[in-house]
Amino acid sequence: MRIAVAGATGNIGSLTVAALERGGHEVVRISRSLGLDLLTGEGLDDALAGVEAVVDVTNGPAGDRDETVAYFATATRNLLAAEERAGVRHHVLLSIVGVCRIEGNAHYAGKREQERLVAAGPVPWTVVPATQFHDFAEMVAGWTEQDGTATLAPLLVQPIAPADVADILAELAVGEPRGRYADVAGPEPQDLVDMARRTHRARGREVKLVPTWSGLFGPEMAGDVLLPGEHARIAPTTFDAWLREQK
């Protein structure tokens, strides 16, 4: 199949491209860095010629709620319109587990709008809600790290390996549209602060971690809010296994 990946140069995008190519598929890479801009639609019609499925793993820039929602809305509308013109038969969107249960987070608001537009759009679709990735804790700690100290919320998560997410997206892209797919998650719940500490140590770093609910993630994300629901699809790679591969 000829399959396009939007956000192809990012972490999940590059892994998804690789998974599809291992399966023998022809992959069209969509990325602003490659001259294909979802915010303007520039280059999309030519890029999607002959494409049968599109996998959207794009991420939005950090901003306030209105800016984030506007970004995801514009990019998604442009992509879906180009897909309709090209006769694309399947749109696969990577989303987030718990996105409908959290109101105060700008990124989650943008993802909800993205899901809404896909579900109401002209192209048959599959939405894949995934839990946080194994490298999420280190990334969040990095946002606040200063002079060897970082703050982050003590979230309970069930993280998934990025490569496992990519494999699932590649598998679903070549199949029939499924609507809202089951939550996908890793095998075990983890504490975000402990994840960050162990990731730093695996990389030979010592960072003082201060748990707090006063940052980007508030108490509305506590408890089991970010955990997968019943009948979730559990990916195989544990956090420990992923951690052993980090340097």
Side-chain angles (χ1 to χ4, degrees):
M1 292 176 59
R2 182 173 167 86
I3 300 172
V5 177
T9 57
N11 181 27
I12 297 298
S14 60
L15 290 169
T16 303
V17 168
L20 288 166
E21 290 182 336
R22 285 196 302 271
H25 303 286
E26 178 187 359
V27 180
V28 176
R29 294 163 173 80
I30 296 176
S31 172
R32 185 181 301 175
S33 65
L34 301 175
L36 300 171
D37 192 339
L38 295 181
L39 289 182
T40 65
E42 180 181 357
L44 290 182
D45 287 338
D46 289 341
L48 294 180
V51 165
E52 299 174 70
V54 172
V55 181
D56 184 0
V57 295
T58 53
N59 202 356
D64 66 24
R65 185 187 184 98
D66 290 344
E67 292 171 339
T68 303
V69 170
Y71 175 89
F72 278 114
T74 300
T76 302
R77 287 192 181 100
N78 286 339
L79 184 56
L80 291 173
E83 290 175 26
E84 184 180 24
R85 291 191 295 270
V88 172
R89 66 166 187 82
H90 190 187
H91 181 97
V92 179
L93 172 65
L94 176 62
S95 191
I96 307 170
V97 166
V99 73
C100 294
R101 298 195 290 266
I102 297 166
E103 289 295 329
N105 185 282
H107 183 70
Y108 277 49
K111 295 298 289 185
R112 283 196 298 275
E113 178 65 5
Q114 192 178 34
E115 285 191 12
R116 186 189 70 79
L117 290 169
V118 167
V123 181
W125 54 278
T126 303
V127 169
V128 185
T131 55
Q132 285 69 34
F133 306 142
H134 285 332
D135 55 359
F136 180 70
E138 180 185 30
M139 179 180 69
V140 172
W143 294 343
T144 63
E145 183 179 342
Q146 188 171 6
D147 298 327
T149 299
T151 59
L152 72 168
L155 301 176
L156 181 62
V157 297
Q158 192 163 325
I160 186 170
D164 287 347
V165 175
D167 287 344
I168 291 170
L169 292 171
E171 171 199 319
L172 294 173
V174 303
E176 295 300 315
R178 304 283 292 271
R180 189 168 188 85
Y181 192 68
D183 291 349
V184 297
E188 302 164 333
Q190 301 282 343
D191 171 79
L192 196 71
V193 178
D194 184 59
M195 286 175 63
R197 181 178 296 111
R198 293 165 64 194
T199 306
H200 287 145
R201 287 178 179 170
R203 300 195 193 283
R205 301 186 66 230
E206 286 293 332
V207 179
K208 181 180 179 180
L209 300 173
V210 180
T212 180
W213 291 113
S214 63
L216 182 62
F217 304 120
E220 65 175 344
M221 301 177 80
D224 61 359
V225 171
L226 299 180
L227 298 184
E230 294 183 6
H231 312 299
R233 177 171 176 175
I234 303 301
T237 307
T238 64
F239 180 67
D240 286 338
W242 175 84
L243 203 59
R244 286 193 292 270
E245 299 176 357
Q246 308 310 303
K247 301 297 181 183

